[in-house]
Amino acid sequence: MTMPTYFISHGGGPWPWMPEAQTMYAPLRAALQDIPRQLGRTPKAILMVSAHWEAQQANLLVAAAAQPSMVYDYYGFPSHTYEIHYPAPGDPALAQQVCNLLEGAGLPTHLDSQRGFDHGAFVPAYVIYPQAKVPMVQLSIHANYDPALHYAMGEALAPLRDEEVLIIGSGLSYHNLRNMGPGGVQPSAQFDAWLHQSLSLEDPAARRQALMDWEQAPAARIAHPREDHLVPLMVAAGAARGDAAHRFHHETQAFGGLTVSSYRFGSAS
């Protein structure tokens, strides 16, 4: 049975370990915690495409450690959040398979045996699978943010879905840290409406073209001054093989009034 793919919000910093953040993040927590029910079975592994790991050179990067370390890539949070450990195992064999699939599609890729889990990976993984029993491999985005490249990455990785690998793009549908207050209310709603309309297109070619042209969306560059948190969506959509998008998480009051959404591509069990 083919696994669906996901584009999710990972939220801000290490929020699951901060009691003061639980009320604000209750809708996201509920949505992420529902993913195992949606799947109806435990995946063989997770392939996590995090907005917080960018390849700077020609090669994409795949984390290949058997026991990944932690990358605390956030600042100004309580001291105890720098002692978090999410002990999910890596999967070197899957990392090599990811590398082979990307290389086979003409996308130069390098295995990184040192890279650990960053918060774009371990935060949502912890909420989805708190027991940390499901192996997880991280795949970088590329710092050029080319939507066609990231969509092609997903297309190359689509066969993993038939091997019970859960592909997750981890980012956020609105990510402008300088405009997270009242100024973000209208642009986040405008961009979210465009995103939902575009992902709801039944013609896979039309949906792909809409994503390639995302900068033409209303408030596009307000929603994403840098599209690091958007391009994981391109990977998830590319791997979807045209499967329908289902919005399983939607808020209009996130971060004090922002509209944000997360999507599943493909049917639940």
Side-chain angles (χ1 to χ4, degrees), residues 145-229:
Y145 305 142
D146 179 4
L149 167 65
H150 290 85
Y151 198 94
M153 289 165 59
E155 290 179 315
L157 297 169
L160 296 175
R161 298 176 58 200
D162 299 321
E163 300 183 25
E164 295 293 287
V165 174
L166 178 61
I167 300 173
I168 299 178
S170 174
L172 187 59
S173 59
Y174 177 93
H175 193 257
N176 185 339
L177 297 181
R178 295 184 177 182
N179 200 21
M180 297 293 278
V185 172
Q186 185 174 358
S188 68
Q190 291 174 333
F191 187 79
D192 191 83
W194 169 86
L195 184 63
H196 188 61
Q197 181 181 30
S198 298
L199 294 181
S200 298
L201 292 170
E202 294 183 1
D203 180 1
R207 184 173 76 186
R208 179 190 183 281
Q209 190 59 52
L211 291 175
M212 295 304 100
D213 296 336
W214 76 271
E215 287 184 275
Q216 299 177 24
R221 277 299 176 188
I222 301 176
H224 294 281
R226 294 175 68 247
E227 55 268 42
D228 51 328
H229 279 63

Side-chain angles (χ1 to χ4, degrees), residues 85-108:
H85 185 52
Y86 184 69
D91 188 334
L94 174 59
Q96 183 64 64
Q97 187 177 7
V98 169
C99 186
N100 293 344
L101 287 169
L102 293 171
E103 290 273 359
L107 303 173

Side-chain angles (χ1 to χ4, degrees), residues 8-98:
I8 63 169
S9 166
H10 54 248
W15 63 266
W17 292 270
M18 298 170 59
E20 65 273 25
Q22 297 318 297
T23 298
M24 180 173 70
Y25 281 107
L28 177 59
R29 177 184 287 276
L32 295 177
Q33 287 179 331
D34 192 53
I35 288 177
R37 182 200 63 80
Q38 295 175 30
L39 297 177
R41 74 277 197 198
T42 302
K44 182 180 77 173
I46 297 170
L47 178 61
M48 188 72 77
V49 185
S50 168
H52 289 276
W53 190 21
E54 299 185 14
Q56 301 289 333
Q57 305 300 324
N59 292 335
L60 296 165
L61 300 170
V62 185
Q67 297 294 330
S69 60
M70 304 293 290
V71 178
Y72 303 116
D73 55 339
Y74 40 78
Y75 307 93
F77 288 90
S79 59
H80 74 271
T81 64
Y82 297 89
E83 300 175 2
I84 294 164
H85 185 52
Y86 184 69
D91 188 334
L94 174 59
Q96 183 64 64
Q97 187 177 7
V98 169

Side-chain angles (χ1 to χ4, degrees), residues 5-7 195-196 199 245-248 261-265:
T5 71
Y6 284 83
F7 171 64
L195 184 63
H196 188 61
L199 294 181
H246 306 271
R247 186 167 62 184
F248 74 100
S261 297
S262 301
Y263 288 85
R264 184 186 75 245
F265 295 89

Side-chain angles (χ1 to χ4, degrees), residues 233-254:
L233 165 64
M234 309 301 175
V235 182
R241 295 171 168 158
D243 286 355
H246 306 271
R247 186 167 62 184
F248 74 100
H249 163 235
H250 179 66
E251 298 183 57
T252 59
Q253 295 298 317

